[in-house]
Amino acid sequence: MVDTDSDGRRPVFAAERRQRILELVRANGAVSLRELAQAVQSSEVTVRRDLRALESEGLLNRHHGGATLPGDLNREASYVQKVALSSAEKSAIADLAASLVEDGDAIVIGPGTTTQEFARRLTRHAELAVVTNSLLVAQALANSPRIEVMLTGGTLRGPILALVGSAAERSLAGLRVRRAFISGNGLTAERGLSTPNMQVACVDQALAAAAEEVVVLADHTKIGIDAMVQTVSAEQIDHLVTDDAAPRDVLDELSGKGVRLHVAQI
Amino acid sequence: MVDTDSDGRRPVFAAERRQRILELVRANGAVSLRELAQAVQSSEVTVRRDLRALESEGLLNRHHGGATLPGDLNREASYVQKVALSSAEKSAIADLAASLVEDGDAIVIGPGTTTQEFARRLTRHAELAVVTNSLLVAQALANSPRIEVMLTGGTLRGPILALVGSAAERSLAGLRVRRAFISGNGLTAERGLSTPNMQVACVDQALAAAAEEVVVLADHTKIGIDAMVQTVSAEQIDHLVTDDAAPRDVLDELSGKGVRLHVAQI
DNA sequence: AGAGATTGGATCAGATTCGTTCAAATCCGG
DNA sequence: CCGGATTTGAACGAATCTGATCCAATCTCT
């Protein structure tokens, strides 16, 4: 039975109906099943079938009670989930890196989720002096009375909560500490550590320059990757702390350039 | 939010509600369960379930009474501050002080729970340049792309998450902005604004010195109180933003010294 | 440190929604 | 004109969502 509508209109084809549903969802962002059924003059069962078909084509997302535009809700979620994914590796790397710190040390810590995790491990140490341009690192150490935390000045880069710019670099100029613990977005033997942002790269260089030894914290997802701007060359890196899923060949290359390897077992 | 159904009372999908919750937490840094339940028009039980789901995805952190941004940034500290101390007074004072800021301004903001609340109100403004020595203020503005945030350098004072010391003062030396918004622990006509900590006082002085006009944010519990170290004298204060429970006689005295009063009605 | 108050977790009940099966109607080819 | 295929709608059981309540856990204040 196809629509023996009282006023005798022609039957509405399924494709038309689905198009109509799609338009409604696109226009309103989110529409309930009931509204859709009423709008296209069909039963809820039929609309449900249409929604299932449209969802399988990726044209919308179904929810209890209706449908919404796709991608509306998951945009940033996927990023955060990705970050949370490699947390086991990050944690192991942070543990291993913390063993490179001794009581009484003066160190520099750069921004990044791994270095933040690393900073949390330092609260057990005594009489540390820590310089950082990362608000997250500073926060992680704020409640440790035996650790003196100094922040560089600078312009706040919102997404990563780190300080950049000439003021940040200037405040690191006269500084000299034992080790710098920094991270980045990619690490290869040819181009060393790299990040996609110029300002961040400049500050990372300044951080590395302030230390006698440079320690890079990088999980396996970053090894072999090359981002836009080089921060420190492989020759400048003294230690690399990573996890055992890192590609062996790249590690060997780095080792050949004088980088001492510390591989965390997951 | 395309929910302009007047008659519809379309059930809000769970995903929509969670998205809304996430936005609220991101916008405010920390939100209580009660506020969230009221904001999304659901029961606290439902919100609690949503928070649990969002936390499992790493999108926020749950705490007693509410939720905060992930990453420990404004961990329990700022959350407790908000819930316990975000009295109506602070909120009203922050609102009133925000009206003293215009688009395009360059301002300085000092540390304190009231100034932090004030900073949150600024996210609506465009093209602001903000200098602060408070990590909490910086964090409150971190997600506002149209606001340039600069932090002073300096040594981190853990309990209040502010930067102090000579480095902080030095980085303010060559600076000149229109207004400084600062707070303190006590305010009298005789001794002006005062705090119990010497280092904090020194930086507050530097903050005030960097601005053409000094605006003090102080709720009634601080008016008439005198703390150990004077930061700025009453004569240096151009504006006072307070609430209507402040003792009238002190206000009159301050007014006599040239302080313009802005009294928030609770 | 303990009492009171607040908050969180778990279970249960009510309601809504979803999926599936089945019957009826239409379209098409013969 | 008739039978198969497809589509639509109805009905029923299953799953999900929401909110209330009770009890344990946590926090605050004295």
Side-chain angles (χ1 to χ4, degrees), chain A residues 28 30-32 35 63-68 73 80-81 116 120 138-139 142-143 149-156 158 161, chain B residues 2 5 10 13 15-16 19 26 57-59 71-73 75 138 142 148-156 158 161 163:
Chain A
N28 296 344
V31 190
S32 74
E35 284 178 309
H63 300 281
H64 266 254
T68 64
L73 309 165
V80 176
Q81 282 171 351
Q116 183 192 350
R120 288 211 189 90
Q139 291 268 343
N143 291 326
V149 181
M150 277 160 290
L151 250 83
T152 70
T155 303
L156 182 65
L161 288 170
Chain B
V2 198
D5 281 351
R10 153 173 88 71
F13 306 135
E16 281 183 282
Q19 182 66 17
R26 288 206 174 113
E57 296 182 39
L59 297 169
D72 267 27
L73 179 51
R75 335 165 269 289
E148 182 173 3
V149 182
M150 278 160 290
L151 250 83
T152 70
T155 303
L156 182 65
L161 287 170
L163 301 171

Side-chain angles (χ1 to χ4, degrees), chain A residues 110-112 114-115 181-185 193 195 204 215-218 222 231:
Chain A
T114 310
T115 52
F181 295 84
I182 61 178
S183 184
N185 285 59
L193 194 64
T195 82
D204 279 350
V215 183
V216 170
L217 278 58
K222 295 169 181 165
T231 60

Side-chain angles (χ1 to χ4, degrees), chain A residues 37 40 52 60 88 111 144 154 176 210 216 230 236 239 254 256 260:
Chain A
V40 301
R52 210 173 312 173
L60 48 76
S144 307
R176 196 67 185 168
V216 170
Q230 184 193 62
Q236 291 175 275
H239 299 266
L254 288 165
R260 266 169 285 177

Side-chain angles (χ1 to χ4, degrees), chain B residues 17-56:
Chain B
R17 195 184 49 237
R18 288 180 189 172
Q19 182 66 17
R20 188 94 207 288
I21 289 172
L22 209 50
E23 285 171 12
L24 285 165
V25 173
R26 288 206 174 113
N28 296 336
V31 190
S32 74
L33 187 82
R34 188 154 306 160
E35 285 177 307
L36 286 174
Q38 190 171 9
V40 302
Q41 291 289 317
S42 290
S43 73
E44 298 183 5
V45 181
T46 299
V47 174
R48 214 166 285 166
R49 268 188 280 249
D50 288 339
L51 290 181
R52 210 173 309 170
L54 290 168
E55 186 191 37
S56 76

Side-chain angles (χ1 to χ4, degrees), chain B:
Chain B
M1 276 355 64
V2 198
D3 186 20
T4 46
D5 281 351
S6 47
D7 65 68
R9 80 190 191 328
R10 153 173 88 71
V12 178
F13 306 135
E16 281 183 282
R17 195 184 49 237
R18 288 180 189 172
Q19 182 66 17
R20 188 94 207 288
I21 289 172
L22 209 50
E23 285 171 12
L24 285 165
V25 173
R26 288 206 174 113
N28 296 336
V31 190
S32 74
L33 187 82
R34 188 154 306 160
E35 285 177 307
L36 286 174
Q38 190 171 9
V40 302
Q41 291 289 317
S42 290
S43 73
E44 298 183 5
V45 181
T46 299
V47 174
R48 214 166 285 166
R49 268 188 280 249
D50 288 339
L51 290 181
R52 210 173 309 170
L54 290 168
E55 186 191 37
S56 76
E57 296 182 39
L59 297 169
L60 48 76
N61 285 345
R62 295 178 65 209
H63 299 281
H64 267 254
T68 66
L69 289 174
D72 267 27
L73 179 51
N74 40 10
R75 335 165 269 289
E76 215 133 352
S78 91
Y79 170 68
V80 170
Q81 283 167 9
K82 170 141 176 88
V83 167
L85 308 173
S86 95
S87 50
E89 288 91 337
K90 277 194 209 302
S91 181
I93 291 171
D95 277 329
L96 192 53
S99 68
L100 296 176
V101 178
E102 295 166 16
D103 286 359
D105 265 356
I107 61 174
V108 158
I109 306 179
T113 55
T114 310
T115 52
Q116 185 192 347
E117 197 71 28
F118 160 72
R120 289 213 184 89
R121 306 296 198 282
L122 298 180
T123 54
R124 302 160 203 150
H125 286 75
E127 309 310 328
L128 288 186
V130 176
V131 178
T132 184
N133 69 325
S134 160
L135 268 65
L136 293 172
V137 168
Q139 202 279 330
L141 298 171
N143 291 325
S144 307
R146 300 191 306 177
I147 301 181
E148 182 173 3
V149 182
M150 278 160 290
L151 250 83
T152 70
T155 303
L156 182 65
R157 189 167 168 76
I160 59 172
L161 287 170
L163 301 171
V164 299
S166 59
E169 295 162 37
R170 216 178 315 126
S171 65
L172 289 162
L175 207 67
R176 196 67 185 167
V177 301
R178 198 167 80 90
R179 281 179 171 156
F181 295 82
I182 60 177
S183 185
N185 285 60
L187 175 65
T188 65
E190 294 77 30
R191 299 195 57 240
L193 194 63
S194 54
T195 83
N197 181 275
M198 179 67 78
Q199 287 184 302
V200 175
C202 288
V203 180
D204 279 350
Q205 285 169 4
L207 291 172
E212 297 170 22
E213 290 189 352
V214 174
V215 183
V216 170
L217 278 57
D219 62 64
H220 69 271
T221 65
K222 294 169 181 166
I223 309 289
I225 304 292
D226 203 355
M228 197 179 77
V229 193
Q230 183 194 62
T231 60
V232 297
S233 69
E235 286 79 8
Q236 292 174 274
I237 300 174
D238 297 284
H239 299 267
L240 167 64
V241 186
T242 185
D243 60 84
D244 56 7
R248 195 64 232 178
D249 53 341
V250 181
L251 293 187
D252 288 339
E253 277 186 87
L254 287 164
S255 181
K257 298 214 173 188
V259 177
R260 265 169 285 179
L261 302 179
H262 306 262
V263 182
Q265 308 295 323
I266 305 300

Side-chain angles (χ1 to χ4, degrees), chain A:
Chain A
M1 101 94 209
V2 171
D3 186 53
T4 41
D5 230 0
S6 43
D7 45 39
R9 294 171 45 124
R10 80 171 163 74
V12 177
F13 301 130
E16 280 183 280
R17 193 183 51 234
R18 289 183 187 173
Q19 189 62 28
R20 188 93 206 287
I21 289 172
L22 209 49
E23 285 169 12
L24 284 164
V25 173
R26 286 194 176 129
N28 296 344
V31 190
S32 74
L33 186 85
R34 188 155 307 163
E35 284 178 309
L36 286 173
Q38 193 172 4
V40 301
Q41 291 290 318
S42 291
S43 74
E44 298 183 4
V45 182
T46 300
V47 174
R48 216 164 286 167
R49 271 189 278 248
D50 289 339
L51 291 181
R52 210 173 312 173
L54 290 167
E55 186 191 37
S56 74
E57 297 180 39
L59 296 170
L60 48 76
N61 284 347
R62 287 211 306 153
H63 300 281
H64 266 254
T68 64
L69 287 175
D72 206 19
L73 309 165
N74 310 335
R75 198 172 306 141
E76 200 156 354
S78 60
Y79 168 72
V80 176
Q81 282 171 351
K82 185 179 174 185
V83 168
L85 262 183
S86 53
S87 65
E89 289 89 339
K90 279 189 209 305
S91 180
I93 291 171
D95 278 330
L96 192 51
S99 68
L100 297 176
V101 178
E102 295 165 16
D103 286 0
D105 265 356
I107 62 173
V108 159
I109 306 179
T113 54
T114 310
T115 52
Q116 183 192 350
E117 199 69 30
F118 161 70
R120 288 211 189 90
R121 306 296 198 281
L122 299 180
T123 54
R124 302 161 202 149
H125 288 73
E127 308 311 328
L128 288 185
V130 175
V131 178
T132 184
N133 70 325
S134 161
L135 268 64
L136 295 170
V137 168
Q139 291 268 343
L141 298 171
N143 291 326
S144 307
R146 300 190 306 176
I147 300 180
E148 182 173 2
V149 181
M150 277 160 290
L151 250 83
T152 70
T155 303
L156 182 65
R157 189 168 166 76
I160 58 172
L161 288 170
L163 301 172
V164 300
S166 59
E169 295 162 38
R170 215 178 315 126
S171 65
L172 288 161
L175 207 67
R176 196 67 185 168
V177 301
R178 199 167 78 90
R179 280 178 172 158
F181 295 84
I182 61 178
S183 184
N185 285 59
L187 175 64
T188 65
E190 292 77 30
R191 296 195 59 239
L193 194 64
S194 54
T195 82
N197 182 273
M198 180 68 76
Q199 287 184 303
V200 176
C202 288
V203 180
D204 279 350
Q205 286 169 4
L207 291 172
E212 299 169 21
E213 290 189 351
V214 174
V215 183
V216 170
L217 278 58
D219 63 64
H220 68 271
T221 65
K222 295 169 181 165
I223 309 289
I225 304 291
D226 203 355
M228 197 179 77
V229 193
Q230 184 193 62
T231 60
V232 298
S233 68
E235 286 79 7
Q236 291 175 275
I237 300 173
D238 297 284
H239 299 266
L240 166 63
V241 187
T242 186
D243 60 84
D244 56 7
R248 194 65 232 179
D249 52 342
V250 181
L251 293 187
D252 289 339
E253 278 186 86
L254 288 165
S255 182
K257 297 214 173 188
V259 178
R260 266 169 285 177
L261 303 180
H262 306 261
V263 182
Q265 308 295 323
I266 305 299

